[in-house]
């Protein structure tokens, strides 16, 4: 404290200290000094609370990624599939919130949860036998039935975990995504055969992100598609496999800088196609 000014030093437990310098036209009384010290202590505690909250969110995300990685690791050649799906899902949801007719459904909570929830879309694959999951050819009808069970299995797993949360969470939204991301806009998908907007919005978004990334990725049964061919597939199947509104949002963001993580992945696909 000095004549015409005072300086507050805010010290935290996480080495994120701060200094506040304030000029004033009068001297600070003893009572004001005590109040300012309390204020500084409270603000420092607030910084600690924010830091702890950020650490909690980071720990939750790490847990989700680890859980998804258990399923993904068994499915060879997928690499960072779930993280790319999460980032593209988030970008599409942001675009829908900005410009689409689903703006009223995309609440701040939805935007906060949907990217993390999408990471868990294939967690049910932990129950799929290796001889089916890693088969280097297309599945026959009986194997398709077994593979399709992963949607309901993942939903059951996540629904059980979600019951431990007191409010809607990435687990409850993830259960919706796991169950319905293989539904089709025309009602010919699985496991429930839902159609149109009866399919939860999060699942409709993840469906586009998941299929696009699967097309441009190498899998045991196929080579990666060139990027433009994959985009054409999404366009062609708008209104049959996919929600046309979600497809439009996807097309709006697919070339955006925020989705640059797809560029490195698709270069090898283009080179392979040229060869």
């Amino acid at each position: 404290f000095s004549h015409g000014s005072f300086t507050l030093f805010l010290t935290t437990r996480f080495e994120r200290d701060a200094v506040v310098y304030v000029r004033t036209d009068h001297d600070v009384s003893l009572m004001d000094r005590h109040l300012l010290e309390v204020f500084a202590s409270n603000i420092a505690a607030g910084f600690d609370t924010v830091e702890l909250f950020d650490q909690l969110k980071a720990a939750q995300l790490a847990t989700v990624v680890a859980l998804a990685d258990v399923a993904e690791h068994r499915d060879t050649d997928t690499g960072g599939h779930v993280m790319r799906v999460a980032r593209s899902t988030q970008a599409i949801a942001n675009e829908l919130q900005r410009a689409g007719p689903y703006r009223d459904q995309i609440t701040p909570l939805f935007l906060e949860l949907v990217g993390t929830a999408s990471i868990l879309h294939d967690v049910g694959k932990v129950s799929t036998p290796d001889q089916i999951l890693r088969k280097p050819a297309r599945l026959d009808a009986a194997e398709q039935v077994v593979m399709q069970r992963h949607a309901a299995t993942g939903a059951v797993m996540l629904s059980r975990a979600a019951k431990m949360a007191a409010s809607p969470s990435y687990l409850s939204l993830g259960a919706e995504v796991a169950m319905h991301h293989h539904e089709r806009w025309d009602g010919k998908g699985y496991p429930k055969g839902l159609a149109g907007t009866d399919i939860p919005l999060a699942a409709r978004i993840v469906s586009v992100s998941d299929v696009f990334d699967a097309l441009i990725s190498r899998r045991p049964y196929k080579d990666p598609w060139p990027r433009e061919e994959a985009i054409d597939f999404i366009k062609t199947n708008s209104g049959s496999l996919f929600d046309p509104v979600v497809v439009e949002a996807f097309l709006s963001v697919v070339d955006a800088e925020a989705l640059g993580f797809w560029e490195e992945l698709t270069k090898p696909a283009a080179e392979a196609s040229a060869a």
Side-chain angles (χ1 to χ4, degrees):
F1 296 94
S2 62
H3 179 71
S5 69
F6 61 87
T7 304
L8 303 180
F9 180 59
L10 312 179
T11 182
T12 73
R13 291 186 294 163
F14 297 99
E15 299 182 354
R16 293 191 178 185
D17 300 337
V19 174
V20 180
Y21 174 76
V22 180
R23 296 184 65 181
T24 178
D25 57 1
H26 62 277
D27 291 336
V28 179
S29 68
L30 182 60
M31 177 61 72
D32 287 341
R33 291 188 183 195
H34 291 321
L35 291 174
L36 287 168
E37 288 170 357
V38 171
F39 172 78
S41 178
N42 288 340
I43 295 300
F47 284 155
D48 284 338
T49 300
V50 171
E51 179 69 23
L52 288 169
F53 180 72
D54 288 345
Q55 289 184 7
L56 176 61
K57 290 178 66 177
Q60 287 179 334
L61 179 59
T63 303
V64 171
V65 173
L67 181 60
D69 196 48
V70 171
E72 185 179 4
H73 181 70
R74 297 177 60 241
D75 193 1
T76 59
D77 297 319
T78 58
H81 170 67
V82 294
M83 295 309 296
R84 293 191 298 271
V85 168
R87 292 170 66 184
S88 58
T89 294
Q90 191 69 57
I92 293 170
N94 289 340
E95 176 64 16
L96 286 171
Q97 197 279 334
R98 184 190 68 82
Y102 302 142
R103 188 180 302 164
D104 59 329
Q105 300 179 50
I106 303 179
T107 63
L109 181 61
F110 182 94
L111 284 177
E112 179 183 346
L113 299 178
V114 70
T116 303
S118 73
I119 295 173
L120 297 166
H121 67 279
D122 273 342
V123 71
K125 283 184 177 180
V126 296
S127 66
T128 306
D130 282 350
Q131 64 268 26
I132 293 178
L133 196 62
R134 299 184 177 184
K135 184 177 179 179
R138 294 204 173 274
L139 304 180
D140 61 31
E143 291 167 334
Q144 284 281 5
V145 171
V146 175
M147 174 63 85
Q148 290 177 4
R149 291 174 186 162
H150 81 275
T153 299
V156 170
M157 292 169 57
L158 296 173
S159 294
R160 288 174 179 169
K163 290 178 180 178
M164 300 177 66
S167 59
S169 68
Y170 64 87
L171 293 170
S172 55
L173 191 59
E176 280 191 357
V177 169
M179 176 68 85
H180 298 297
H181 71 286
H182 286 295
E183 306 283 5
R184 293 173 41 136
W185 185 253
D186 60 11
K188 298 178 181 179
Y190 68 87
K192 299 294 186 181
L194 300 183
T197 55
D198 287 341
I199 305 168
L201 178 58
R204 303 198 312 263
I205 297 172
V206 172
S207 177
V208 174
S209 298
D210 181 35
V211 170
F212 179 74
D213 193 76
L215 290 175
I216 62 175
S217 302
R218 185 177 302 278
R219 293 295 172 88
Y221 52 86
K222 75 169 188 68
D223 290 330
W225 286 27
R227 181 174 178 274
E228 291 306 318
E229 288 186 17
I231 292 174
D232 286 343
F233 179 88
I234 300 296
K235 290 180 180 178
T236 300
N237 287 281
S238 176
S240 55
L241 269 67
F242 310 118
D243 178 346
V245 174
V246 174
V247 170
E248 285 301 313
F250 163 79
L251 295 175
S252 295
V253 301
V254 70
D255 289 320
E257 183 179 350
L259 299 183
F261 57 92
W262 273 330
E263 296 301 325
E264 293 184 6
L265 180 70
T266 54
K267 285 179 183 178
E271 292 167 4
S273 177

